[in-house]
Amino acid sequence: MTITVLIADDAAMVRAGFAALLDAQPDLRVVGQATTGKEAVAQAARLRPDVILMDVRMPEMNGIEATQRIGAPSFPASPPPRILMLTTFDIDDYVHDALHAGASGFLLKDATPEELVRAVRVVAAGDALLSPGITRRMIAQFAARRPRRPREGALLSRLTEREREVLLLIAQGRSNREVGEELYISDHTVKTHVGRLLTKLGLRDRVQLVIFAYDNGLVSPGP
């Protein structure tokens, strides 16, 4: 199965480099390129790609607003494309907003070619790009800077003790395998718990589970 990709970035060299790399993969195909957030929204509706590589900073409309529009219930493509935000260290403040807007993860622009290809495949498969390294630390930093939301007690009360344990480990950046090893359960059982967490909390992926955990004070930001 071929994964279709839309690249949204106002830097021509970035678009060209990403397009050349992705088109060289047998299972990936770049179907469009956008230079503004407004163009990204229009092309996403028309081309209906599986994945969008979305830069945060673009003219006319930034990547965060574009992500919000693409994830809105009124957006014509259903299900909407998965969005992988492109960022650099100097715009860390935007990443938390991007994830809240519905992005499935983010990738640093200095990532290796292998990391970029893997990221597109991971997001296309319906998973969130959430590694135990830089992603977890950055989300923790953003959560620490922002006022806590009121705890969503009604939602939290729906969780079983085991589901809460799984949620806490996911918020620490653990993979399914690592969660299973910690709790002495199988990978399949972990996936089942993750699916139930997403359904009960009304969330779309693991990234939003992490944000939920931080926003509700279930875990504290740390180094």
Side-chain angles (χ1 to χ4, degrees):
M1 178 180 174
T2 299
I3 299 168
T4 56
V5 182
L6 170 65
I7 301 172
D9 196 299
D10 61 337
M13 290 186 64
V14 171
R15 294 196 311 274
F18 285 173
L21 173 64
L22 297 178
D23 276 335
Q25 309 303 314
D27 59 332
L28 305 179
R29 180 167 63 93
V30 176
V31 294
Q33 298 184 32
T35 61
T36 71
K38 193 172 181 180
E39 286 182 8
V41 174
Q43 290 198 38
R46 179 170 58 87
L47 300 173
R48 304 198 174 196
D50 298 311
V51 176
I52 301 176
L53 292 180
M54 182 83 75
D55 189 18
V56 172
R57 285 181 172 173
M58 289 184 289
E60 294 187 20
M61 180 190 298
N62 65 38
I64 296 172
E65 184 178 351
T67 298
Q68 289 173 330
R69 295 197 181 192
I70 291 170
S74 59
F75 192 71
S78 182
R82 307 284 292 183
I83 297 179
L84 184 61
M85 303 299 299
L86 301 173
T87 185
T88 55
F89 282 111
D90 64 338
I91 54 171
D92 288 352
D93 288 336
Y94 292 94
V95 178
H96 189 270
D97 291 332
L99 298 176
H100 266 299
S104 295
F106 65 91
L107 187 71
L108 298 176
K109 282 192 175 182
D110 62 355
T112 66
E114 293 77 15
E115 288 171 336
L116 173 62
V117 171
R118 174 184 174 275
V120 171
R121 289 171 177 155
V122 166
V123 169
D127 293 326
L129 189 70
L130 186 62
S131 68
I134 185 68
T135 307
R136 177 173 58 84
R137 293 197 300 271
M138 290 174 78
I139 293 176
Q141 291 167 8
F142 308 140
R145 295 174 190 167
R146 293 166 181 264
R148 290 280 189 209
R149 290 182 174 182
R151 290 175 66 101
E152 300 187 51
L155 290 176
L156 291 170
S157 66
R158 299 179 188 177
L159 305 183
T160 65
E161 185 62 30
R162 177 63 84 190
E163 288 167 349
R164 188 180 288 253
E165 291 175 338
V166 171
L167 176 59
L168 292 177
L169 291 172
I170 289 174
Q172 295 169 18
R174 307 287 187 90
S175 66
N176 284 352
R177 179 181 58 79
E178 291 168 334
V179 172
E181 290 175 352
E182 179 80 15
L183 301 178
Y184 301 101
I185 56 179
S186 69
D187 287 1
H188 177 75
T189 301
V190 175
K191 291 179 181 178
T192 299
H193 286 308
V194 171
R196 288 174 179 168
L197 283 167
L198 294 173
T199 299
K200 288 183 177 182
L201 300 177
L203 304 175
R204 63 179 289 180
D205 55 34
R206 294 169 75 96
V207 169
Q208 292 192 344
L209 284 175
V210 173
I211 294 172
F212 178 90
Y214 278 110
D215 279 347
N216 284 274
L218 301 181
V219 288
S220 299

